[in-house]
Amino acid sequence: QKEVEQNSGPLSVPEGAIASLNCTYSDRVSQSFFWYRQYSGKSPELIMSIYSNGDKEDGRFTAQLNKASQYVSLLIRDSQPSDSATYLCAVNIVGSYKYIFGTGTRLKVLA
Amino acid sequence: EAQVTQNPRYLITVTGKKLTVTCSQNMNHEYMSWYRQDPGLGLRQIYYSMNVEVTDKGDVPEGYKVSRKEKRNFPLILESPSPNQTSLYFCASKGGSTTNSPLHFGNGTRLTVT
């Protein structure tokens, strides 16, 4: 089993809709969770970090963490064509400098 | 501007010819790391450094070397590149006194080994 799993997609949503991206992880001692956006050929760009159970909102983005079920999700409200990218989920292991990345979900927002 | 700078952005070389990819950060970060990204495999850590003169292997260190002689620089060295090292490489750094702050990535180096 991969340590961090994401559906590769593509996930297609119409402009203005809510895009829901999911990530599951296998390590129960994972501490910190991050969502990165990556445009093709470009570097990953941090969108959200979340450290405790519940929701965290930042503009059109909401991260949701459920440690008991070992999943973290990212909601993008009012999706725009410029949101079309690959979204990477990353997990940091507690007490270590190790970051484990999922392979990413490709999102396509249709105009 | 706070940033992580990698050079070169693109590099085409031949098997066995030693090369170095440079990485520099201006944020006074203690932690720096190298990743490679391949289709279907995601980002995989090659080496990381918690501070000057302290480095450790990541998940895929074979065929790579690093050095951390000063805080701002963390070069990646391929002593004898092979075609399976063709990949997109990212340097990253992070600050903060805890282990769980986010990584900041450089712009990437696309390496082709023929």
Side-chain angles (χ1 to χ4, degrees):
Chain A
Q1 181 187 3
K2 291 183 181 178
E3 294 180 83
V4 177
E5 293 205 53
Q6 297 180 256
N7 188 319
S8 61
L11 172 66
S12 296
V13 300
E15 184 176 358
I18 296 175
S20 178
L21 306 163
N22 299 312
C23 171
T24 59
Y25 60 95
S26 60
D27 194 324
R28 292 188 176 272
V29 295
S30 298
Q31 175 178 347
S32 312
F33 306 86
F34 309 93
W35 283 100
Y36 288 85
R37 177 176 63 198
Q38 187 178 26
Y39 294 110
S40 180
K42 303 295 185 182
S43 60
E45 170 193 10
L46 180 70
I47 296 177
M48 296 278 286
S49 55
I50 185 166
Y51 305 103
S52 54
N53 280 326
D55 294 0
K56 179 181 178 182
E57 186 174 317
D58 184 359
R60 296 187 295 114
F61 300 97
T62 299
Q64 300 174 318
L65 175 60
N66 184 322
K67 289 189 176 183
S69 300
Q70 294 178 240
Y71 82 79
V72 56
S73 62
L74 179 70
L75 301 178
I76 307 174
R77 289 181 298 281
D78 188 23
S79 296
Q80 301 296 309
S82 59
D83 294 326
S84 298
T86 296
Y87 289 80
L88 306 176
C89 172
V91 170
N92 170 249
I93 306 300
V94 65
S96 85
Y97 289 90
K98 189 174 180 64
Y99 295 77
I100 302 171
F101 285 82
T103 54
T105 298
R106 189 156 65 96
L107 173 67
K108 296 174 69 174
V109 180
L110 307 172
Chain B
E1 180 189 353
Q3 59 186 359
V4 179
T5 303
Q6 292 178 232
N7 280 295
R9 291 294 309 279
Y10 302 92
L11 181 57
I12 300 173
T13 190
V14 296
T15 299
K17 186 175 181 181
K18 181 180 178 180
L19 65 90
T20 299
V21 184
T22 63
C23 175
S24 179
Q25 50 91 7
N26 62 0
M27 296 171 280
N28 202 37
H29 286 171
E30 294 283 351
Y31 177 92
M32 298 184 74
S33 181
W34 277 101
Y35 291 84
R36 62 177 288 174
Q37 187 174 37
D38 302 289
L41 297 177
L43 280 161
R44 293 180 293 167
Q45 190 178 50
I46 303 171
Y47 269 95
Y48 65 95
S49 170
M50 290 175 286
N51 50 51
V52 175
E53 300 294 0
V54 179
T55 64
D56 206 351
K57 297 177 180 179
D59 297 317
V60 288
E62 295 78 18
Y64 304 95
K65 287 176 58 177
V66 292
S67 69
R68 188 88 182 275
K69 292 182 169 48
E70 49 188 341
K71 184 184 280 190
R72 64 182 291 123
N73 295 322
F74 190 45
L76 179 69
I77 303 159
L78 285 72
E79 294 271 3
S80 183
S82 62
N84 65 11
Q85 292 178 298
T86 293
S87 187
L88 179 58
Y89 290 86
F90 290 104
C91 179
S93 71
K94 78 172 196 75
S97 58
T98 61
T99 58
N100 62 1
S101 43
L103 294 168
H104 301 268
F105 287 89
N107 286 332
T109 296
R110 187 170 290 281
L111 172 65
T112 302
V113 183
T114 62

